[in-house]
Amino acid sequence: MNDKPVYLFTGFLESGKTSGIQGTLQDERFYEGNEKTLLLVCEEGEKEFDLKKIPSAYMSIEFLENKEDLTSKYLTGLEKKYKIDRVVIEYNGMWMLDDLYNNMPEDWVIYQEICFADASAFLSYNANMRQLTVDKLKSCELIVFNRFTEGADIMPYHQIVRAANRGCDIAYEDAAGNLKE
C-alpha cells in the first residue's frame, strides 16, 4: 500500500485558504512528477478557484458540503474513482479536525498542514470560539496571519499560537500579502 500524501489547509471562512491552495496548485514544482491530485473542498468561501490556471490534466475536484458525508468509505471511494496519487483539502473551519483524522483512509498521510487566519478577526474568534481555534492550531506546521495591520502588536497572536502548538511556524502578512518582518 502506497501512502497518499495529504496537504491540509485549515482556517476559518475568509481566512485565505483558497488563495493559499490556488498558489500551491499553480506552482509548477507541485506537478513535477505529474501526480494525480484530488482537491477536496469542504468549504466554499467568497473566492473561487481559478481552474484555468491549474493543470487540469492532473487534477480532480470534489465538493463536500455536509460533515456527515466525511466518512472513510466516501474518501476511499474518491480515491478509487479518480485513481489519485495525493490529496489537497480545503477544510471547513467549523468542523473539528478529529472528524477528518478519524475518517481518513489508512493510506492517507498528512504531509503538510497549514492554517490561515484573518488577523483582523482572529482575536475575536479565539475569544468566542476557543475550542475551534485551538483545534486548528494544535497540529499545523505553519499559521499564516494575513491582513495584519501595520503597527499591530504581534504578541497576543504569538501567545495564543504558542499555547496551542510550540512547534508551529508563524508568518504575518500585510493586506497586500507581503511578509511582515
Side-chain angles (χ1 to χ4, degrees):
M1 180 176 0
N2 292 336
D3 286 347
K4 300 283 186 273
V6 175
Y7 300 89
L8 179 58
F9 292 77
T10 67
F12 296 107
L13 192 63
E14 300 305 311
S15 63
K17 295 184 301 286
T18 301
S19 296
I21 293 170
Q22 183 79 41
T24 299
L25 294 176
Q26 284 180 219
D27 189 331
E28 60 190 40
R29 294 172 296 178
F30 194 69
Y31 289 96
E32 284 181 335
N34 299 331
E35 296 91 350
K36 290 184 181 175
T37 304
L38 170 64
L39 173 57
L40 183 59
V41 180
C42 301
E43 178 178 70
E44 290 187 73
E46 292 295 314
K47 188 166 186 169
E48 294 184 12
F49 290 100
D50 186 350
L51 299 176
K52 294 180 205 134
K53 294 183 177 180
I54 300 170
S56 60
Y58 305 110
M59 196 193 79
S60 301
I61 186 168
E62 282 284 334
F63 295 89
L64 179 67
E65 296 179 15
N66 299 312
K67 185 172 69 167
E68 296 74 33
D69 295 333
L70 184 65
T71 65
S72 182
K73 182 179 180 181
Y74 175 76
L75 297 175
T76 300
L78 292 177
E79 181 178 344
K80 290 177 182 174
K81 177 180 178 181
Y82 295 112
K83 298 176 178 59
I84 57 170
D85 299 307
R86 63 184 175 185
V87 183
V88 175
I89 300 175
E90 179 176 18
Y91 201 64
N92 188 314
M94 300 306 288
W95 299 354
M96 299 300 281
L97 283 168
D98 286 344
D99 292 329
L100 173 65
Y101 299 149
N102 292 333
N103 287 297
M104 285 193 329
E106 285 186 31
D107 61 337
W108 288 25
V109 177
I110 303 289
Y111 268 41
Q112 189 171 41
E113 183 176 332
I114 300 173
C115 182
F116 289 85
D118 178 347
S120 66
F122 180 78
L123 296 178
S124 176
Y125 285 157
N126 185 62
N128 295 302
M129 300 184 293
R130 177 102 174 116
Q131 183 179 5
L132 284 170
T133 303
V134 170
D135 180 66
K136 303 309 171 277
L137 294 172
K138 69 182 179 183
S139 54
C140 69
E141 298 168 49
L142 168 67
I143 181 163
V144 178
F145 287 107
N146 52 47
R147 302 178 196 114
F148 210 83
T149 307
E150 181 68 32
D153 184 10
I154 67 168
M155 195 49 67
Y157 301 85
H158 182 85
Q159 289 172 335
I160 292 166
V161 173
R162 286 295 169 250
N165 183 336
R166 305 279 305 156
C168 178
D169 289 328
I170 306 171
Y172 301 93
E173 292 183 346
D174 62 19
N178 300 311
L179 283 176
K180 180 177 168 41
E181 298 293 322

